[in-house]
Amino acid sequence: MIKSTIKTDLRRFTPEGVAEFGRRVDFARLHKTNIDLDGLLESDESTQVIVGEKVVGDPPSFERYEFCKFLHEIFETHRNALSHTKVNVLLDGGLWSWLAARWASRLTSTKGGKPFVGELSRWVFESQNGRRDYRHLLASPYRIYSQNVGLKDGLNLVLSGPVWLYNEFFEQVASRKYLHTNPEALRGLEILYWDPKRRKEKDGARAVVDRFGVVFNQLELTWDLGGMTAEEIVELLPKEFEIWKP
Amino acid sequence: MTTRTLNFTRRSRIELTWFHVRTVREGEDLRVQLLSFDHSHLPGLPPSASVVLNCFLGRLGQVRVECGTVNNLLTNVEKKFWVGDHDSVRLSLLVRDVDGDSPGKILARSAEVPRFIGGGTRSLLVVKPENLGSQVWRLQIDEENGPELLINDRIRKSKDLVRSNEFSALVIPEIFRQISEWVLLNYAQFEEPGSIGYSWRQMVDELGVDLDGEDFTESSHREIVAQDLEMAFAGRHRSLEILVTEDEEGLDD
């Protein structure tokens, strides 16, 4: 359990704030340092207040599913304030860039003993860039979570692991819009690759999951996958998937 | 040398002119309804096959509207969903096998076509692609939503057309004249700030034509005043100059 820290307002970066944050991310990436956030997170020049009360604490966990659930509760509780400030939770670059900055110290992993920041799109959310928007550390998993709220099975594989850690299942799904917007397809993924008894992925699944995405895209041309159950989708898969079927 | 396209899927193509969809924006929501689907061009479709209208909203999702079957098309099914500040959705109609050899298989599908649905902030004049037959454009005035400019949906770049100099100079003044008649008829009722009628009344007032105390119940009087307003509008927006300047630039070439 993460120790509770001081809560902050819910804010978003202004365009100037996003640009400055981007510059600091670039600097950290090039110099293999932590992102310098000094004077940025609560500055009136670089941020705009959405909820002017201390509502953003630390999440109970940085596991993708738990983290998204935590954010969802904040957004639901303060829906009126978000609407009032015209923040579109799924698309607001200023909001997601600020949230990434808010937890930057926890989201930065290490490589070779030095801080590893990675590419800019992990931190600055470019909602209009279809090739990069799914790479954001927080916005992308949250999009999948919010599109499938209430889905009993289907998110165990995709939203597993800490948000900063590469997850092959997440990568395959997040980059394919027909996949992550289809709850039955996500459930189909779990029928194949999730071991319900051990509550973990099947051994070796990570190495082959990319085939599911590729074949799904091919089937989508011929079959109305949006109107099929997970079992029907799995039934359509070619022979190479037989060993994964229960 | 000729090139042939092989249709491995044996799927039929639904032409965009064979179906008609209505989209109505309500704040951050969109209501979608399939109004008609002329499947007589596809005589081989099984009567029990399902008809589905898909609405795509980029990465944010896909909404399905189940519209009955080929022989029992449901044109009264309306689906409402959140679109936020998106200004367009992509629509596609498909027919899927239900009772045949391959349930779930797509038997016919249209291309995904973008449908302009207006921005998050309310536009004074909503532009909508519509099936207008051979007509290029038409003004429709809805009591609730106000004026809507319908552009023939066979024109792919309708937004570009509306923004073009030719359209601005030649067509927009006439649209304004038609809207002015509607404003004049309802002049006294358009008093509620924030309403679409009030916004249009303000626009008419700003042209400086004195309308105080006038009675517009007589259509002939309304028509005359609307023509005056059209002239004032064209003058304000320099309709003639737009074309004259363009013409002169063309001569230089």
Side-chain angles (χ1 to χ4, degrees):
Chain A
M1 175 75 80
I2 293 163
K3 285 181 185 172
S4 174
T5 55
I6 297 168
K7 290 187 172 185
T8 63
D9 298 337
L10 178 62
R11 291 175 180 248
R12 80 209 284 201
F13 278 134
T14 59
E16 295 77 20
V18 171
E20 177 58 25
F21 179 52
R23 278 192 287 274
R24 296 189 190 196
V25 170
D26 271 340
F27 183 90
R29 182 167 55 84
L30 289 170
H31 295 85
K32 296 185 172 58
T33 61
N34 285 311
I35 303 168
D36 172 21
L37 297 166
D38 192 30
L40 194 64
L41 279 177
E42 296 187 293
S43 141
D44 288 339
E45 285 78 41
S46 55
T47 66
Q48 177 199 353
V49 174
I50 298 170
V51 182
E53 299 156 32
K54 308 295 181 191
V55 295
V56 186
D58 270 340
S61 160
F62 278 92
E63 291 280 314
R64 282 187 179 85
Y65 184 87
E66 291 300 324
F67 189 83
C68 291
K69 191 176 167 192
F70 163 78
L71 285 180
H72 192 67
E73 283 167 9
I74 293 177
F75 296 150
E76 284 297 300
T77 306
H78 302 287
R79 188 191 291 199
N80 288 343
L82 288 159
S83 172
H84 185 69
T85 44
K86 299 195 186 310
V87 172
N88 180 335
V89 165
L90 292 175
L91 298 172
D92 197 283
L95 171 70
W96 286 106
S97 304
W98 184 85
L99 288 169
R102 165 73 176 75
W103 287 293
S105 62
R106 302 302 306 264
L107 301 180
T108 305
S109 52
T110 55
K111 202 172 185 178
K114 291 187 174 178
F116 174 72
V117 170
E119 62 180 289
L120 185 65
S121 53
R122 285 159 56 93
W123 300 91
V124 172
F125 182 46
E126 300 171 80
S127 65
Q128 302 303 319
N129 186 335
R131 287 171 185 265
R132 289 190 182 154
D133 62 342
Y134 72 89
R135 293 182 180 167
H136 194 268
L137 287 169
L138 305 182
S140 186
Y142 179 75
R143 181 185 289 171
I144 294 174
Y145 176 89
S146 66
Q147 284 164 343
N148 298 285
V149 171
L151 186 64
K152 196 178 169 195
D153 297 308
L155 300 177
N156 286 312
L157 288 166
V158 176
L159 295 185
S160 66
V163 287
W164 64 82
L165 202 63
Y166 185 84
N167 170 352
E168 188 66 47
F169 298 100
F170 174 76
E171 291 293 318
Q172 290 302 321
V173 168
S175 60
R176 292 184 162 88
K177 69 176 178 183
Y178 294 116
L179 197 46
H180 68 72
T181 57
N182 184 338
E184 288 300 305
L186 295 180
R187 213 163 62 73
L189 191 79
E190 288 209 357
I191 288 175
L192 292 173
Y193 303 122
W194 177 251
D195 185 338
K197 286 182 185 161
R198 294 161 65 207
R199 299 291 303 161
K200 61 182 287 196
E201 69 198 60
K202 291 178 184 172
D203 294 338
R206 197 167 284 251
V208 296
V209 66
D210 62 318
R211 287 293 301 154
F212 183 82
V214 171
V215 172
F216 184 89
N217 276 6
Q218 290 170 349
L219 291 173
E220 203 275 331
L221 298 172
T222 313
W223 299 87
D224 180 27
L225 300 178
M228 298 175 92
T229 64
E231 289 74 14
E232 288 169 334
I233 293 171
V234 168
E235 196 60 34
L236 288 176
L237 295 170
K239 271 186 182 174
E240 66 178 287
F241 292 89
E242 286 300 323
I243 59 165
W244 299 103
K245 292 180 185 174
Chain B
M1 190 174 125
T2 56
T3 307
R4 285 187 180 176
T5 304
L6 296 175
N7 181 4
F8 289 109
T9 63
R10 296 195 178 177
R11 192 178 60 221
S12 301
R13 183 182 177 85
I14 299 174
E15 296 296 336
L16 303 181
T17 51
W18 298 349
F19 66 100
H20 187 204
V21 177
R22 179 161 71 189
T23 55
V24 179
R25 191 180 185 108
E26 291 176 349
E28 293 195 338
D29 294 329
L30 188 72
R31 281 193 288 127
V32 175
Q33 182 182 6
L34 177 69
L35 294 178
S36 65
F37 171 36
D38 178 8
H39 52 77
S40 63
H41 305 277
L42 303 167
L45 289 178
S48 62
S50 317
V51 178
V52 181
L53 176 67
N54 275 316
C55 313
F56 303 96
L57 202 62
R59 276 192 194 281
L60 297 187
Q62 172 183 349
V63 175
R64 292 167 63 85
V65 188
E66 301 280 350
C67 305
T69 60
V70 168
N71 75 336
N72 185 23
L73 196 66
L74 302 177
T75 52
N76 57 350
V77 178
E78 198 176 64
K79 199 146 189 175
K80 186 173 173 178
F81 55 95
W82 177 90
V83 290
D85 53 5
H86 280 69
D87 64 1
S88 69
V89 291
R90 299 180 76 83
L91 302 172
S92 173
L93 192 72
L94 69 82
V95 178
R96 64 175 278 176
D97 190 13
V98 175
D99 297 329
D101 297 337
S102 311
K105 194 164 191 175
I106 298 170
L107 302 175
R109 177 152 71 182
S110 76
E112 277 181 31
V113 279
R115 168 70 64 96
F116 181 63
I117 54 172
T121 52
R122 192 175 188 179
S123 171
L124 260 185
L125 182 62
V126 175
V127 180
K128 280 185 179 175
E130 285 280 346
N131 183 348
L132 298 178
S134 57
Q135 202 173 3
V136 177
W137 66 271
R138 184 193 304 157
L139 185 73
Q140 172 178 285
I141 299 182
D142 182 85
E143 286 307 315
E144 201 177 313
N145 298 318
E148 294 171 337
L149 176 58
L150 309 181
I151 301 286
N152 195 310
D153 60 7
R154 289 169 60 194
I155 299 170
R156 290 293 172 88
K157 295 185 174 176
S158 56
K159 279 166 86 174
D160 291 350
L161 172 71
V162 172
R163 288 174 185 150
S164 71
N165 283 344
E166 287 80 2
F167 199 90
S168 301
L170 299 169
V171 182
I172 294 289
E174 165 58 15
I175 290 169
F176 186 78
R177 188 192 65 73
Q178 292 184 26
I179 294 172
S180 295
E181 278 205 49
W182 167 68
V183 173
L184 296 174
L185 182 64
N186 299 283
Y187 195 82
Q189 282 84 55
F190 289 162
E191 286 184 322
E192 187 191 339
S195 69
I196 191 77
Y198 181 81
S199 303
W200 274 108
R201 177 179 151 162
Q202 274 193 317
M203 196 159 170
V204 165
D205 286 343
E206 281 168 13
L207 291 173
V209 177
D210 188 7
L211 304 172
D212 270 347
E214 296 254 12
D215 180 5
F216 296 112
T217 46
E218 259 192 54
S219 64
S220 57
H221 184 48
R222 268 202 318 276
E223 282 169 19
I224 291 167
V225 177
Q227 280 173 14
D228 289 344
L229 288 166
E230 180 193 358
M231 283 176 65
F233 177 88
R236 172 77 62 91
H237 293 273
R238 301 170 59 80
S239 300
L240 181 63
E241 281 77 358
I242 289 171
L243 293 184
V244 170
T245 309
E246 272 216 323
D247 200 31
E248 285 168 354
E249 283 171 359
L251 286 173
D252 289 343
D253 293 337

